[in-house]
Short mmCIF file of all heavy atoms in Angstrom, two decimals:
data_model
loop_
_atom_site.label_atom_id
_atom_site.label_comp_id
_atom_site.label_asym_id
_atom_site.label_seq_id
_atom_site.Cartn_x
_atom_site.Cartn_y
_atom_site.Cartn_z
N CYS I 341 -42.08 -108.44 20.47
CA CYS I 341 -43.30 -108.00 21.14
C CYS I 341 -44.26 -109.16 21.32
O CYS I 341 -44.79 -109.71 20.35
CB CYS I 341 -43.98 -106.90 20.33
SG CYS I 341 -45.54 -106.37 21.01
N CYS I 354 -50.02 -104.06 24.00
CA CYS I 354 -49.78 -103.78 22.58
C CYS I 354 -50.82 -104.57 21.80
O CYS I 354 -51.70 -105.21 22.38
CB CYS I 354 -48.36 -104.16 22.19
SG CYS I 354 -47.88 -103.53 20.56
N ARG I 355 -50.73 -104.53 20.48
CA ARG I 355 -51.68 -105.28 19.67
C ARG I 355 -50.96 -106.40 18.95
O ARG I 355 -49.74 -106.50 18.98
CB ARG I 355 -52.36 -104.35 18.69
CG ARG I 355 -53.55 -103.61 19.27
CD ARG I 355 -53.92 -102.45 18.38
NE ARG I 355 -52.77 -101.55 18.26
CZ ARG I 355 -52.42 -100.96 17.12
NH1 ARG I 355 -53.09 -101.21 16.01
NH2 ARG I 355 -51.41 -100.14 17.08
N HIS I 357 -49.24 -107.93 16.05
CA HIS I 357 -48.55 -107.48 14.83
C HIS I 357 -47.30 -108.33 14.67
O HIS I 357 -46.84 -108.98 15.62
CB HIS I 357 -48.20 -105.99 14.92
CG HIS I 357 -47.30 -105.65 16.08
ND1 HIS I 357 -45.94 -105.86 16.03
CD2 HIS I 357 -47.57 -105.15 17.31
CE1 HIS I 357 -45.42 -105.47 17.20
NE2 HIS I 357 -46.38 -105.04 17.99
N CYS I 371 -45.74 -100.11 17.75
CA CYS I 371 -45.57 -101.10 18.80
C CYS I 371 -45.29 -100.44 20.15
O CYS I 371 -44.29 -99.76 20.33
CB CYS I 371 -44.44 -102.04 18.42
SG CYS I 371 -44.10 -103.25 19.72
N ASN I 372 -46.19 -100.67 21.09
CA ASN I 372 -46.02 -100.08 22.42
C ASN I 372 -44.83 -100.69 23.17
O ASN I 372 -44.17 -100.03 23.96
CB ASN I 372 -47.27 -100.30 23.26
CG ASN I 372 -48.38 -99.35 22.84
OD1 ASN I 372 -48.12 -98.39 22.11
ND2 ASN I 372 -49.59 -99.60 23.29
N THR I 373 -44.59 -101.98 22.93
CA THR I 373 -43.48 -102.65 23.59
C THR I 373 -42.16 -101.99 23.19
O THR I 373 -41.35 -101.60 24.04
CB THR I 373 -43.47 -104.14 23.21
OG1 THR I 373 -44.76 -104.68 23.46
CG2 THR I 373 -42.43 -104.89 24.01
ZN1 LIG V 701 -46.03 -104.46 19.83
#
Side-chain angles (χ1 to χ4, degrees):
Chain I
C341 176
C354 192
R355 276 164 301 140
H357 60 80
C371 177
N372 284 347
T373 308

